[in-house]
Amino acid sequence: MRFHCLQHLPDEGPGYAAEWLAAHGYTLNYTRLFEPNPIFPALAEFDVLLILGGAMSVHDETEFPWLVPEKAFLRTVLRAGKITLAVCLGAQLVAQALGGEVHRNPAPEIGFWPVRFASKALTHPLLRGWPDKATVLHWHVDTFTVPPGAVRVGMSAGCAAQGYVWGDGIIGLQFHPEMTEEMVEKLIQFEGHETAEEQEFVQTAAQIRSKLKSVWKGRILIEQLLKNMVALHTAD
């Protein structure tokens, strides 16, 4: 089974997902959009697509011109019905491609905040085995509307749309289940200025670090999701 990853920033890789895939013998290839002349794979070259986060907005096509071919590629992937996991910026890109809107969230959401997952979403094949709530890592200022025909995955106090499932095999998550402790430390290092100003749904770097040790269970969520993706592909 072949996985392909669209990576937008050097320090925002697939994290726990890459570790699990390597441990189970699955291939993982990359299109690194921050490198010159990124090349997108042919549809026949992969079975599952992973789309990661990034500090840019889906609307920043002038500053990041690779967004234009990436959006075209995503529309092709979605039409082909490829199993897809999209996180944060990735979820916003896929939501837009499916007819949703991407706009500013009412307030930034940064740190570890609880999400309650919708009972309807938890019956979807991709979310089997997930709990009904979890405290997860958030780091975003934009959000999306749930695309037409999709089912909302859940919500938090700071963001009404924490994800969606669309069709049999497409899931977008606003939060970050893939990030390792090392990746969170790098986020704090390079984006920590966003935590300096006290806001309702923004935790300080110290708060994030303390919760990183005490509540972070991202590995459990992403590994169960990947198991479900494998099962879905095997059943086809």
Side-chain angles (χ1 to χ4, degrees):
M1 191 168 170
R2 304 158 302 165
F3 288 74
H4 194 89
C5 178
L6 304 185
Q7 184 175 347
H8 301 106
L9 290 173
D11 294 320
E12 291 200 32
Y16 287 137
E19 293 179 8
W20 188 88
L21 293 174
H24 290 79
Y26 298 112
T27 62
L28 177 61
N29 294 310
Y30 293 82
T31 297
R32 294 183 170 92
L33 291 143
F34 51 87
E35 295 180 347
N37 305 312
I39 297 175
F40 296 96
L43 291 177
E45 295 176 345
F46 66 96
D47 302 304
V48 178
L49 184 66
L50 309 179
I51 313 160
L52 303 180
M56 60 288 298
S57 166
V58 302
H59 305 298
D60 291 343
E61 294 178 0
T62 300
E63 186 176 358
F64 302 98
W66 44 258
L67 280 166
V68 176
E70 182 181 19
K71 291 178 180 181
F73 174 69
L74 291 179
R75 290 192 293 269
T76 301
V77 169
L78 297 172
R79 284 195 299 268
K82 290 284 187 179
I83 300 172
T84 299
L85 165 60
V87 175
C88 202
L89 171 64
Q92 294 164 9
L93 286 164
V94 172
Q96 186 183 60
L98 292 173
E101 297 180 1
V102 178
H103 53 81
R104 287 291 190 191
N105 198 49
E109 189 179 33
I110 298 174
F112 289 97
W113 302 99
V115 169
R116 183 171 295 279
F117 300 118
S119 56
K120 184 177 180 180
L122 291 175
T123 66
H124 192 279
L126 291 179
L127 292 176
R128 285 175 184 158
W130 270 32
D132 60 359
K133 59 184 176 181
T135 298
V136 296
L137 176 68
H138 309 262
W139 205 298
H140 68 105
V141 295
D142 285 352
T143 188
F144 48 77
T145 59
V146 175
V151 175
R152 185 189 308 269
V153 162
M155 64 187 301
S156 65
C159 183
Q162 283 293 341
Y164 54 86
V165 282
W166 189 90
D168 292 331
I170 295 167
I171 181 167
L173 299 173
Q174 183 58 75
F175 58 93
H176 285 278
E178 84 288 1
M179 285 202 172
T180 64
E181 292 187 19
E182 293 78 12
M183 291 171 67
V184 176
E185 281 293 341
K186 286 186 177 180
L187 260 183
I188 293 172
Q189 179 182 350
F190 294 110
E191 304 293 337
H193 61 277
E194 296 181 349
T195 71
E197 181 182 349
E198 184 175 348
Q199 299 178 67
E200 185 176 7
F201 298 110
V202 176
Q203 294 170 350
T204 65
Q207 289 172 321
I208 293 171
R209 287 191 174 103
S210 69
K211 292 179 181 296
L212 182 61
K213 300 294 184 184
S214 63
V215 306
W216 188 214
K217 304 288 193 299
R219 179 188 291 275
I220 296 173
L221 296 178
I222 194 71
E223 289 185 355
Q224 184 61 52
L225 180 52
L226 291 167
K227 291 176 187 176
N228 292 340
M229 290 182 149
V230 170
L232 184 63
H233 178 262
T234 303
D236 286 346

